[in-house]
Each structure stands twice: as structure tokens, then as C-alpha cells.
Amino acid sequence: MLVSEATLVIGVDAMGGDYAPEAIIEGAIAAVTEGGGEFQVRLFGDEARIQTLLGDPASTKDISIVHAPDTIGMHESATAAVKTKRDASVVRMLESHRDGEVHGCVGAGNTGAMMAAATLILGRIAGIARPTIGTFFPSERGRVLVVDAGANVDSTPRHLVQFGVMGAVFVGMMLGIERPAVGLLSVGEEESKGNEAVVEAHRLMKNAPFRFVGNVEGRDILKGKADVVVCDGFIGNILLKFAESVPLFLKTKLRHAAGKGLWNRLAVGLASGTLRNIMREWDYQEHGGVPLLGVNGVAIIGHGRSTPKAVRNMIFKAREMIDRRVSEHIAASVRSFQTAAET
Amino acid sequence: MLVSEATLVIGVDAMGGDYAPEAIIEGAIAAVTEGGGEFQVRLFGDEARIQTLLGDPASTKDISIVHAPDTIGMHESATAAVKTKRDASVVRMLESHRDGEVHGCVGAGNTGAMMAAATLILGRIAGIARPTIGTFFPSERGRVLVVDAGANVDSTPRHLVQFGVMGAVFVGMMLGIERPAVGLLSVGEEESKGNEAVVEAHRLMKNAPFRFVGNVEGRDILKGKADVVVCDGFIGNILLKFAESVPLFLKTKLRHAAGKGLWNRLAVGLASGTLRNIMREWDYQEHGGVPLLGVNGVAIIGHGRSTPKAVRNMIFKAREMIDRRVSEHIAASVRSFQTAAET
């Protein structure tokens, strides 16, 4: 199927994720149906399988397929696989993005492969040393972007500053916050507090092209003391997984409590619904995946367990990132920083 | 007041903490009253002030005072202050411990000063490079010790292994777990996952004198996948403060929810009590302070906001650590490790 120049096309890896291709295709159909022709989805994967699952041609007129029969497993070495498996769905998808055939990408398969493919094929934005993944935490005031959320370990001070640049642009463009507050995650507010990398990053951030509000502590994330919280990906990943485990922990504890007496059981039953609503903010399905920031393009990385709803949300998030020209704004922000540093 | 050789004496810094000396003295009185002569408390601080606050001599016959008029403020440089302020209560207390006049120490003042005084005055256990602070997190199965919880940043692989040694002994002796499971906090289960220090620590831990269960992730802490979770103090501190902020976050969110309709208000009201009970496990007052492990002695460090109840609990925890000879067992465990490594 040919797509006119003006139409927005979002590439989706039909073969990536625990419930692929069924859940992915279902999510894609939901997205284009809701989109009502405003954008199209191009599925990358095993054409015959996808065709069988697509069903009713009327509801899928905005979906096209690119045959890419190979897949990269969850435990394969990402970079090696991306370099050798030329027919892998994720590789073909990113190549299409590089060539301008699709305008953004969504994938819920091997996270490392999606990152490696995006970085190798799209290339890094000039001035960005390491692309990063940011993820939203809930806060008392709204939402907080924690960046890096696991893409990079052993980040240097310069990397940390760049995470701040990318996070500030992303939050600014996506949440419409004019000058988002960027905090540096540390173990105390004083600029002398932290490990070596953080102390040096603090110094560099004073001249960064974002509103730096200084160090923030672990307790400040949920308080919403900053719009963007910068940390090394080792910490970001541990924090994210810890936070995601809190709802289940509370549920288990509540269930225990419910065992003790009718009154408690009633209380717990009533509270569960309320708690569930609060916890929804921690739900990856609602988030619609996380963006890989710092590459020349739009790449949304989904959870391995992405459901149709999550896929639908990822497609809409990709579309929004394309519309708001997040990558272009990151490039401009980094450029201004470099120019300032050189003068 | 003279104390017979056989009597257990616990030193308490009467001047340390936001509510000192009142809350400290009240906690000390509660402890000795409950102890019924089984141990004594020696208060270090301004003798006249303490005397005035002690009140009824009958209820304080197991409390003695050492006049130590100086204090170290919350924002003073810890090591410098410990070296120069010879009459600071925390310095005099640790010197008494070194000299065998008291058998364990409790302090809720400047954490850095307590750590520095304990390390400088008591000395490190032979073979321990850096003393560490461990703190308990609640888990689905009971409790998990996260070590280091903030005493050390930029820990080397060898430091991390030693945190594991100390944590395993502490949990083994204090919770009565025979061979506690020690996990290394990382971003994936595979031994190749993590930052440089963690990957190397994983290798070293295979030969450590504790039951090493491999890497654990952020989500495994509350699940109770290990009894001891080892990490650098930068991460431990951030995790601890994040976890401590969860109850308040939920309370705020629940209050918001309660605003919307009578039914919700009822549910929230009923749930609050149940939640409060669950959250109690995160309450520093209940913990009774955290131990500084790896020094030649017993030092319990309290929260700055320690209440009488927290002080009472710290005194009992110090007593338990003395009874169970935690320091001696750490020394033996490190020795066996070194011997094994050398042969």
C-alpha cells in the first residue's frame, strides 16, 4: 500500500512483545480506528501471519505491512543481532524510519535490540553521547520524568547533564510545561553531597540550558519537587522496578489484613478500588511505553507484556512526539548548550 | 555513679537529635524502667540540664550521667568536629565505649559525627575497609536488610562484598536466620548485568562467606527474594528515602480521592487504619535506629527526629546487639573469608 507524502505513518514492530503478534495487531487496529484516517500504521513482521490476523479489510484500510520475517529474541545479544539480522522486523522498521517511509517507531520486543537498532540506524543527535530512556513516576503534583531509567549505567557527569537536556525538552513539549524544573538525584541537597559523578554533574548543570533546581533526594520524587529527575540508569532502573512493585506489595499486605475480621475485610474491599485508581499511574499500560530520546527520530519502547491497550497508547504517544518535534527541539537545545560552552 | 563490672551499660548521647535532650531522656527513662535493673543507661551531655530533666530519682536509679558539655551541630563537618571537640557528648560517649565503661552506644545527632566518632575512636574491625549502615525494608515475607543504606558512596567491589559479610552476620544474629540469603542489587539477574562495580562484586561474592543468591532487582526487595540486599550507599540512601515517602504520597492521594463523594470518603476512612498498620513497618520510630556495622563495638544511629519511643527502641536494639556479639561474629566471618582467599 502506498502512502501519500502528507500522511503521517507510524511503524510498529508486529513481532515484538510477549503477546505478539496478536496483541500488537489488535492495538494497531484500535489506534487507526480511533485515528479516523489522521495517521496510518505500518506493521513490520511476518506478512502472512499479520494478514491472517488483520481480518476485516474495512477496519484496516489505514494499516500497511512490510514483510520482515526475522525476529530478535528476548535473550539475544542486541547489538550483534541488529548488525547481522537484516530481515529482523525491528531492523527493517528503523531503516524505514531512517529513509522517511515511516515517521516514528513503536516496539515492545527486546528493549536492547530496539535501542541498538534506533541508535545504529537513526544515529545519535549531534552532541548527544548516549541516547536515554525516560519514564514517568506519579507525584503529588502530577508527573515526574526520571531520566535515565535504565538505558545507561556508569554515566559520566556529561552524560547526566545531557539526560537533563533531553528530559527537559521532552517534558516541556509533551506536558506543555514552559521551563520544567530539573533536579539531580542525590543523597543530600548540598552540592557537595553525592558520588563523584553527581558532584561534578551538579557543577556542570549550573550552566545547562534548562532550569536546574539543584539536588533532589529520594523522597522528593513523589513529592514532585522537580518535573525532571536526572540519575544514572542503574539507579533509575532500580527505582522504577522498586516503585512498580509497591502496588503488589500493598495488595498482598492488604489481603493479609483482610483475613483478620469482617471489619477489616470490608475496609480493604472498599479501599482496593481507590488504591487501584492511584496505582494506575504506575501502570505501564497507561503510560504507553517510554521514549528513546537522543536519536534522530521517534522511537517508543514498550513493555514486553504490552497489551493491545498499551500498544494503542504507544502509537498515540509516537504520533504526539512527531507532532511536537521533540527530536528537533533536543537537537536545538544541545546546540545552544555547546555554543554557550564554547564561547 | 559506679557500675559493677557485671552490669551492662548502654551509652546514650543526650544532646543529639531534634528533640534533645528532652525526648532522649524520656526514652532512656522508659528503657531502664522497662529493663527493671537488667541494664543501665549512661547519658552523655550537659550534666546540669540532664539532672533537671531526670526528675524522680527512684525511677532513674539505673541512669548515670557523664558531663560532656559540647555538641556537634547537624551541619558541622563531622570528621573535623570529632577530632577537635574533645568534650562533645558523642566523642566522650565513644571514648567511654572504647575504654569499656559502656558496652554499646546510641546517638540521634549528626549522623556523620556519630559515624566518624565510632570509626575513629573504636576503630574498624580488622579486614573491614569501610563500616556500613544497614536498614530494614518491609517485605512480603518479613524484613529485608538493605546495606549500605547511605554511609558510603562510590563503593568498590570489595566494599560491596564486605557489606554482604556484615549484613549476613547482622541479619543472622538479630533475626535468627541460619544462612540468610544475600542478593546483589542490580538491573538484571544475569551476572553480566549491572555497572562495573556490581559486575565485579558479583564475581567476588561467589566465594564470599555467605549464601549468595545472585543479583536481585528493584522489584525483588519488597518481595523478600533475599534477606540481605547489598548496594552502594548512594543507591541505598535514595531507595530508603523514596520508600519512606510512599506512605505520605498514598495518604495525600487517598485524601484527594476522599474528596470525591461520600462512598469514597467512607472507603478511604476505613482503609486508612489498615494502611497505617502496613506502613508502620516503614516507620523509623519502630526500627529503633540503624546499626553502624564494622566498628569494634556497638553503635546505633538514630533518626534526627527520634522520639522517646525511638530512643527506647534504640537502647533495646543496642542491648540485643551486645548480647548477640554481632561485632565479634563479623570479625570472625571476615577473618574466615580472608583466610579462604589467601589459601
Side-chain angles (χ1 to χ4, degrees):
Chain A
M1 186 197 269
L2 272 173
V3 180
S4 78
E5 278 298 305
T7 313
L8 196 71
V9 189
I10 292 157
V12 175
D13 177 7
M15 314 311 280
D18 299 354
Y19 311 130
E22 290 81 359
I24 311 296
I25 291 168
E26 199 182 316
I29 293 173
V32 294
T33 305
E34 206 174 321
E38 280 190 11
F39 61 90
Q40 303 196 333
V41 164
R42 188 159 296 172
L43 295 169
F44 292 79
D46 183 322
E47 186 167 18
R49 271 188 85 184
I50 296 172
Q51 200 68 65
T52 310
L53 288 162
L54 268 180
D56 178 21
S59 71
T60 57
K61 64 178 174 50
D62 288 322
I63 295 182
S64 54
I65 306 171
V66 168
H67 185 55
D70 217 347
T71 56
I72 297 177
M74 293 308 272
H75 295 289
E76 283 189 67
S77 163
T79 309
V82 166
K83 284 180 178 165
T84 55
K85 291 189 159 180
R86 307 309 305 170
D87 278 333
S89 51
V90 66
V91 172
R92 297 291 303 276
M93 173 170 73
L94 269 311
E95 284 173 350
S96 282
H97 188 10
R98 176 196 62 199
D99 299 341
E101 291 157 12
V102 303
H103 307 99
C105 287
V106 165
N110 182 326
T111 300
M114 181 80 178
M115 278 174 47
T119 307
L120 291 170
I121 297 166
L122 301 179
R124 288 174 280 126
I125 290 174
I128 292 292
R130 288 189 184 183
T132 186
I133 287 176
T135 193
F136 280 112
F137 278 51
S139 91
E140 288 179 26
R141 299 184 190 180
R143 298 202 287 171
V144 178
L145 187 80
V146 173
V147 59
D148 181 279
N152 302 289
V153 299
D154 292 315
S155 307
T156 66
R158 190 167 140 255
H159 296 153
L160 292 171
V161 176
Q162 293 182 355
F163 299 160
V165 171
M166 294 185 268
V169 170
F170 180 74
V171 161
M173 304 309 295
M174 298 295 278
L175 301 189
I177 298 173
E178 194 143 345
R179 293 188 68 227
V182 179
L184 178 61
L185 192 59
S186 190
V187 294
E189 287 184 359
E190 306 88 333
E191 64 177 280
S192 61
K193 288 285 174 76
N195 56 26
E196 273 183 42
V198 162
V199 170
E200 173 63 10
H202 186 112
R203 201 182 62 77
L204 296 176
M205 282 189 185
K206 289 179 181 172
N207 300 312
F210 49 72
R211 184 157 69 90
F212 179 47
V213 295
N215 289 355
V216 294
E217 298 189 63
R219 67 168 71 95
D220 299 323
I221 297 172
L222 297 178
K223 274 189 195 156
K225 208 170 155 185
D227 302 303
V228 177
V229 169
V230 174
C231 60
D232 174 56
F234 187 76
I235 295 162
N237 175 279
I238 286 167
L239 259 182
L240 175 64
K241 286 179 181 164
F242 180 83
E244 283 179 342
S245 77
V246 169
L248 187 64
F249 169 74
L250 289 176
K251 216 170 128 186
T252 307
K253 288 285 181 179
L254 277 171
R255 211 183 298 126
H256 271 274
K260 295 169 192 151
L262 185 66
W263 184 248
N264 269 328
R265 204 168 304 182
L266 181 69
V268 169
L270 283 170
S272 294
T274 312
L275 262 181
R276 206 178 305 127
N277 281 333
I278 295 174
M279 295 309 175
R280 190 162 290 167
E281 300 186 49
W282 250 306
D283 183 349
Y284 63 89
Q285 290 191 47
E286 302 290 330
H287 297 162
V290 292
L292 179 68
L293 303 171
V295 294
N296 288 308
V298 169
I300 304 282
I301 300 178
H303 200 290
R305 291 196 294 275
S306 286
T307 57
K309 183 182 177 183
V311 174
R312 176 251 173 228
N313 285 347
M314 282 192 275
I315 292 170
F316 276 98
K317 186 175 248 179
R319 187 201 161 190
E320 209 180 332
M321 279 186 70
I322 300 164
D323 281 352
R324 300 189 185 215
R325 310 178 68 81
V326 171
S327 287
E328 290 82 344
H329 282 97
I330 287 175
S333 186
V334 172
R335 223 163 27 232
S336 77
F337 187 28
Q338 289 184 310
T339 312
E342 283 157 12
T343 53
Chain B
M1 186 197 271
L2 274 170
V3 180
S4 78
E5 279 298 306
T7 313
L8 196 72
V9 189
I10 293 157
V12 175
D13 177 7
M15 314 312 280
D18 298 354
Y19 311 130
E22 291 80 1
I24 312 297
I25 291 169
E26 199 181 319
I29 293 173
V32 294
T33 306
E34 206 174 322
E38 281 189 11
F39 61 89
Q40 304 195 330
V41 163
R42 187 159 297 172
L43 294 170
F44 293 79
D46 184 321
E47 187 167 18
R49 271 187 85 184
I50 297 172
Q51 201 67 65
T52 311
L53 289 162
L54 270 180
D56 178 22
S59 72
T60 56
K61 65 179 173 52
D62 289 323
I63 296 182
S64 54
I65 306 171
V66 168
H67 184 56
D70 218 348
T71 55
I72 297 176
M74 295 307 275
H75 296 289
E76 283 190 67
S77 164
T79 309
V82 166
K83 284 180 178 164
T84 54
K85 291 189 162 179
R86 307 309 304 170
D87 278 333
S89 51
V90 66
V91 172
R92 296 293 301 277
M93 174 171 72
L94 269 311
E95 284 173 350
S96 283
H97 188 11
R98 177 197 62 200
D99 299 340
E101 292 157 10
V102 303
H103 307 99
C105 288
V106 165
N110 181 325
T111 299
M114 181 79 179
M115 279 175 46
T119 306
L120 291 169
I121 297 166
L122 302 178
R124 288 174 280 125
I125 290 174
I128 293 292
R130 287 190 183 183
T132 185
I133 286 175
T135 194
F136 281 112
F137 278 52
S139 90
E140 288 178 26
R141 299 182 189 180
R143 298 203 287 170
V144 179
L145 187 81
V146 172
V147 60
D148 183 277
N152 302 289
V153 299
D154 291 316
S155 307
T156 66
R158 189 168 142 256
H159 296 154
L160 292 171
V161 177
Q162 293 183 355
F163 299 161
V165 171
M166 294 185 267
V169 170
F170 180 74
V171 161
M173 303 309 295
M174 298 294 280
L175 301 189
I177 299 173
E178 195 144 347
R179 293 187 68 228
V182 178
L184 177 62
L185 193 59
S186 190
V187 295
E189 288 184 359
E190 306 88 332
E191 63 178 282
S192 62
K193 288 284 174 76
N195 56 25
E196 272 183 41
V198 162
V199 170
E200 173 62 9
H202 186 113
R203 202 182 63 75
L204 297 176
M205 282 190 184
K206 289 180 180 171
N207 300 311
F210 50 72
R211 184 156 70 90
F212 179 47
V213 296
N215 289 355
V216 294
E217 299 188 64
R219 65 168 71 95
D220 299 322
I221 298 173
L222 297 178
K223 274 189 194 156
K225 208 171 157 185
D227 302 303
V228 177
V229 168
V230 173
C231 61
D232 175 54
F234 187 76
I235 296 162
N237 175 279
I238 287 167
L239 260 183
L240 173 63
K241 286 179 181 163
F242 181 82
E244 283 179 343
S245 76
V246 170
L248 187 65
F249 170 73
L250 290 176
K251 216 170 125 188
T252 307
K253 287 286 183 179
L254 277 171
R255 209 182 301 127
H256 272 276
K260 294 170 192 150
L262 186 66
W263 184 249
N264 270 328
R265 205 167 305 181
L266 180 69
V268 168
L270 285 169
S272 293
T274 311
L275 262 182
R276 207 177 305 127
N277 281 332
I278 294 173
M279 294 310 174
R280 191 162 290 168
E281 301 187 48
W282 249 307
D283 184 348
Y284 63 89
Q285 289 192 45
E286 302 290 330
H287 297 163
V290 293
L292 179 68
L293 303 170
V295 292
N296 289 307
V298 168
I300 305 283
I301 300 177
H303 200 289
R305 290 196 295 274
S306 287
T307 58
K309 183 182 178 183
V311 174
R312 175 250 173 231
N313 286 345
M314 281 193 273
I315 293 170
F316 277 97
K317 185 175 248 178
R319 187 200 160 188
E320 209 180 331
M321 280 186 69
I322 299 164
D323 282 353
R324 304 194 180 210
R325 308 176 69 81
V326 170
S327 287
E328 290 83 343
H329 283 97
I330 287 175
S333 186
V334 171
R335 227 165 23 234
S336 78
F337 186 30
Q338 289 185 310
T339 312
E342 283 157 11
T343 53

